[in-house]
Amino acid sequence: MSDIPAVEVSGLVKDFQTSFRGPKLRAVDNVSLRIEPGEVYGMIGPNGSGKSTTMKALLGLVKPTAGTCSIFGKDSLKVDSRNDVGFLPENPYFYKHLTGAETIKFYGKLCGMRGAKLKHRIDEMLNLVGLDDARNRALKGYSKGMLQRIGLAQALVQDPRLVILDEPTAGVDPSGSREIRDLILELKNRGITVFLCSHLLEQVQEVCDRVGIINHGKMVRQGKLDDLIALEDRTEIVLENASPELLDQIHTLVDVTYGVDMISEGNPRTTLEDLFLRETKPRRTVTKKRRKRTNS
Amino acid sequence: MSSSNKKTQRQRKKTSFISPRRILIIAQSTVTQLVRMKVFYFLAPIAAVFVGIQFFDAPWYAGPEASQPQQELQMHKNLCLGTMMLFSSLFAIVSTALLIPRDIEDRTLYTILCKPVPRLDYLVGKLLGVMAVVFIALAVMDMILVVTLHFRTGAVLADLEPYLQKLGWPQELVDEKLDEISAHGPTMTLQYGVLAYFFKASVIAAVALLISTFSTSTLFTIASSVMIWIIGAAQNIARQGLFEQGGLAEDSGPIAKILATLVSLLFPDFQIFDSVAEAATRAADISSEQILQLGGFTFFYLAIYTVLSWFVFSDKEF
Ligand SMILES: Nc1ncnc2c1ncn2[C@@H]1O[C@H](COP(=O)(O)OP(=O)(O)OP(=O)(O)O)[C@@H](O)[C@H]1O
Ligand SMILES: [Mg+2]
């Protein structure tokens, strides 16, 4: 439609002053990414790799040390950019004294909604996240998953064109997280851009068009999901009801063929998970420590 | 769906720098928050004290024979206004100090600031919310004060009139005396005194707002706001000490003057509010211009502190 990207992050660097005079901690190191309108983009990475920090910079909650972020062409540091975006922070906390319906009403009003339209929207949102029954209960009595759901409803209240979800399924039960996955797919069908990060790689693989893998603040791999996880020099054969004899035959066949190696065997794993582990594996600090301990 | 989507997109215009409607929404939510924190329960014991004072005679009160029966009423007003001042100031400090650091700690602020809400709107909304609750609390206390004072004035007058008549005062003189006493009852002047304390509490709330934008804990905010409150009350005395007590002031004139000006910029001179309230308890004349001036002064301080808070807050990261 137009060539304005939904999200554009270019050369983002973010340093945190962790102690009063100590060295700065580089949480995000020269990350660039671009999300086209209508796309679902997944960011994955180990704990503390800078996913949430990137999202916060995109929402203007932290100021970049270097680089720029924009949403639909509007600079993230300007309030204007927040008109078209809904954000679900990790561990969302809201005013505990408000009920579910009041919470959505509050955020709807902040977005400039009012009257019958807002009222209708509140019902719609509560229904969408399955909190109809709890609408008149105060949030202090909500469970973790329920808070996550109300956070999702709050993010979607003004029908934004971009939704940023920081671990939308954290603390949500399996069926709930499946519902959230379906919801993301529905948003995608409606042409809404989604930027999410999650540790549930299967889900990321199911819903995302493109993924980026971030490690120690650096973007290590980025691209179309299908391209990333396709391993052209490898073939996976998935068999059902294969007899031991057949497997033996395959083994011998592989053994006698020059240049072919059997790399792994077993139940198939999610390939994104494989990729993730491969890209983020070298945790040298951990292994070094362990080695030291065994030496002494 | 797509048509409605388009419509909403067209409706989304530029977010204005400051929007009264959004400020009102935040102020409203602040009031709800404070109300649900059950702050108004504190009003019950205070009301009980006000009513209790009613039945408490000043030790020097000698009945209608006293040369100055209005002292009885003055004591009543002194006690009540003093309580109102303490309560409203402390309340302004504590509630402001509780609200913003808590929003940051609980990360509620994340979700608010990622909606199209300018940070200034958030600050002004919080401040107005606290001021509204202080206003309501003061209004309730004021009502109780007016009612109790009304009855007490009635009682004093009812005692005094037959006594003066028995002494053989001519009726005009009796009426004059009664009018004089009535001036110490619930009058407009008294309302000015209450208003002065509302202004004072508002300025204190703005101070607490500024402190809470850079402090990281509730306790620090409360402690330092209380300190400023006390310094503000004491600075008039200090300034008098610097300038009006001979030698010292003449020697270190310019430096001391600059110092005092700096101090008065940092610490608002709460004496101005106190003196108006004190005049109100004495039933002295307070002109409406004086009140307007006081209002202007209040507004000036609120604006300064809000802008300073905004400077600190707009650079803040979460
Ligand atoms: N406000 C802050 N002050 C100091 N350091 C911070 C701050 N926020 C984040 N960091 C640091 O920046 C790094 C990246 O944090 P971030 O929250 O972005 O990680 P993440 O990828 O979201 O991790 P997780 O998967 O655990 O949510 C971490 O090392 C963290 O300690
Ligand atoms: Mg995170």
Side-chain angles (χ1 to χ4, degrees):
Chain A
M1 186 174 92
S2 63
D3 51 346
I4 298 177
V7 168
E8 181 147 44
V9 175
S10 53
L12 179 69
V13 176
K14 180 65 203 172
D15 290 338
F16 282 114
Q17 190 81 48
T18 43
S19 60
F20 197 61
R21 276 178 44 207
K24 287 186 173 172
L25 177 108
R26 183 149 291 193
V28 179
D29 192 356
N30 198 16
V31 164
S32 297
L33 61 94
R34 189 185 157 100
I35 306 176
E36 300 301 332
E39 216 173 25
V40 177
Y41 186 98
M43 187 182 238
I44 55 180
N47 291 132
S49 56
K51 303 182 295 293
S52 303
T53 309
T54 307
M55 289 183 163
K56 282 188 212 160
L58 189 56
L59 285 151
L61 291 172
V62 301
K63 274 210 177 87
T65 308
T68 55
C69 307
S70 64
I71 293 173
F72 291 109
K74 292 175 187 154
D75 189 339
S76 290
L77 293 174
K78 301 250 163 67
V79 180
D80 260 348
S81 68
R82 264 151 261 164
N83 275 321
D84 268 330
V85 59
F87 176 49
L88 170 73
E90 55 183 340
N91 310 321
Y93 288 106
F94 304 101
Y95 288 126
K96 293 190 182 65
H97 60 274
L98 294 180
T99 67
E102 282 170 339
T103 303
I104 300 177
K105 189 171 169 190
F106 174 61
Y107 289 100
K109 276 180 168 177
L110 286 182
C111 295
M113 301 170 78
R114 59 174 122 182
K117 197 179 148 221
L118 177 58
K119 218 170 178 181
H120 177 74
R121 190 71 185 159
I122 294 168
D123 296 338
E124 201 180 348
M125 285 293 107
L126 285 168
N127 192 300
L128 184 74
V129 297
L131 286 175
D132 286 311
D133 297 337
R135 63 177 295 148
N136 291 324
R137 272 161 54 191
L139 254 52
K140 58 173 166 270
Y142 273 31
S143 73
K144 191 162 183 254
M146 287 163 87
L147 282 176
Q148 196 78 20
R149 287 161 190 254
I150 207 79
L152 204 56
Q154 161 278 128
L156 294 171
V157 67
Q158 87 270 36
D159 197 12
R161 284 192 287 160
L162 168 68
V163 182
I164 299 181
L165 308 171
D166 197 346
E167 296 182 36
T169 48
V172 178
D173 57 43
S175 79
S177 81
R178 192 155 285 261
E179 278 164 31
I180 289 177
R181 182 203 62 185
D182 293 341
L183 179 69
I184 294 170
L185 288 174
E186 195 196 314
L187 292 175
K188 180 179 169 180
N189 284 337
R190 279 169 40 193
I192 293 172
T193 318
V194 180
F195 178 21
L196 63 89
C197 75
S198 172
H199 293 296
L200 291 185
L201 301 180
E202 285 167 62
Q203 280 206 356
V204 173
Q205 192 169 357
E206 277 172 335
V207 300
C208 292
D209 302 316
R210 286 202 310 137
V211 289
I213 304 179
I214 189 170
N215 194 22
H216 294 302
K218 288 198 177 72
M219 188 66 90
V220 286
R221 283 295 283 280
Q222 184 168 215
K224 273 213 154 59
L225 182 73
D226 297 333
D227 298 345
L228 278 184
I229 57 180
L231 296 169
E232 265 127 39
D233 59 343
R234 290 192 189 181
T235 314
E236 189 175 41
I237 306 171
V238 181
L239 306 171
E240 204 171 42
N241 303 326
S243 66
E245 293 80 34
L246 178 62
L247 289 179
D248 272 347
Q249 280 179 358
I250 295 175
H251 276 259
T252 38
L253 202 60
V254 170
D255 283 343
V256 298
T257 315
Y258 177 77
V260 180
D261 287 321
M262 174 76 82
I263 288 173
S264 71
E265 195 189 340
N267 298 325
R269 315 239 320 266
T270 48
T271 41
L272 185 60
E273 190 174 331
D274 279 339
L275 180 68
F276 176 87
L277 290 176
R278 191 146 37 83
E279 294 294 349
T280 60
K281 199 170 231 164
R283 286 195 163 169
R284 286 188 204 97
T285 47
V286 177
T287 43
K288 244 184 225 161
K289 253 184 217 157
R290 218 175 270 156
R291 219 171 284 150
K292 249 185 219 158
R293 216 172 282 154
T294 46
N295 282 350
S296 57
Chain B
M1 191 68 239
S2 68
S3 74
S4 81
N5 227 356
K6 245 178 229 160
K7 211 192 278 165
T8 50
Q9 272 167 36
R10 215 174 303 135
Q11 278 167 3
R12 283 175 199 146
K13 289 202 192 104
K14 248 184 132 56
T15 312
S16 54
F17 174 61
I18 192 159
S19 136
R21 215 172 73 83
R22 218 165 13 220
I23 289 175
L24 217 65
I25 294 163
I26 291 176
Q28 210 176 26
S29 98
T30 309
V31 173
T32 314
Q33 190 179 5
L34 288 171
V35 168
R36 295 203 184 158
M37 280 161 92
K38 308 211 161 64
V39 290
F40 284 126
Y41 283 20
F42 288 113
L43 288 177
I46 289 173
V49 168
F50 281 20
V51 174
I53 292 170
Q54 180 85 351
F55 303 106
F56 171 79
D57 280 340
W60 58 83
Y61 181 54
E65 302 87 355
S67 59
Q68 288 193 311
Q70 65 266 35
Q71 276 187 348
E72 175 81 356
L73 303 175
Q74 269 190 30
M75 178 212 64
H76 188 107
K77 288 191 283 187
N78 257 330
L79 282 175
C80 290
L81 276 178
T83 313
M84 285 160 85
M85 192 273 283
L86 261 178
F87 176 82
S88 58
S89 302
L90 276 178
F91 184 85
I93 290 175
V94 173
S95 50
T96 313
L98 278 179
L99 291 178
I100 292 176
R102 194 167 181 182
D103 271 10
I104 296 172
E105 267 165 42
D106 288 358
R107 304 186 215 187
T108 324
L109 201 53
Y110 280 22
T111 46
I112 294 175
L113 293 182
C114 10
K115 297 294 180 197
V117 179
R119 294 186 179 195
L120 181 61
D121 285 20
Y122 171 78
L123 287 176
V124 175
K126 283 280 163 196
L127 182 61
L128 287 184
V130 171
M131 279 169 64
V133 173
V134 169
F135 187 85
I136 296 168
L138 273 177
V140 170
M141 289 190 274
D142 186 37
M143 237 151 59
I144 302 168
L145 167 63
V146 165
V147 169
T148 51
L149 190 62
H150 170 80
F151 282 117
R152 192 147 202 180
T153 314
V156 169
L157 293 181
D159 268 358
L160 194 61
E161 191 174 10
Y163 173 75
L164 292 181
Q165 280 165 345
K166 223 198 287 168
L167 283 184
W169 286 35
Q171 192 58 40
E172 304 110 66
L173 277 182
V174 172
D175 286 344
E176 211 171 279
K177 182 79 186 165
L178 293 186
D179 279 350
E180 190 192 319
I181 304 289
S182 301
H184 286 273
T187 56
M188 195 59 209
T189 307
L190 184 65
Q191 297 306 307
Y192 285 156
V194 177
L195 191 63
Y197 280 150
F198 169 66
F199 286 158
K200 182 177 179 178
S202 305
V203 173
I204 292 173
V207 171
L209 181 80
L210 173 59
I211 295 171
S212 63
T213 51
F214 58 77
S215 98
T216 42
S217 81
T218 309
L219 196 66
F220 177 81
T221 312
I222 294 181
S224 36
S225 308
V226 169
M227 225 172 66
I228 288 191
W229 176 35
I230 292 168
I231 292 174
Q235 73 157 304
N236 207 41
I237 302 162
R239 214 183 298 159
Q240 275 170 6
L242 268 176
F243 296 128
E244 284 154 28
Q245 280 182 358
L248 213 163
E250 275 160 39
D251 295 343
S252 53
I255 300 163
K257 228 171 223 169
I258 292 168
L259 241 152
T261 317
L262 263 177
V263 167
S264 71
L265 265 180
L266 274 175
F267 306 100
D269 186 4
F270 293 125
Q271 191 63 39
I272 303 174
F273 304 104
D274 293 337
S275 64
V276 169
E278 192 260 339
T281 50
R282 271 190 292 112
D285 269 341
I286 300 174
S287 66
S288 44
E289 280 126 60
Q290 226 173 322
I291 290 300
L292 266 178
Q293 218 175 9
L294 199 64
F297 184 77
T298 306
F299 185 80
F300 169 76
Y301 266 120
L302 290 186
I304 284 193
Y305 282 112
T306 309
V307 168
L308 284 179
S309 310
W310 182 44
F311 279 155
V312 180
F313 199 61
S314 59
D315 274 338
K316 214 169 160 79
E317 300 189 326
F318 306 102

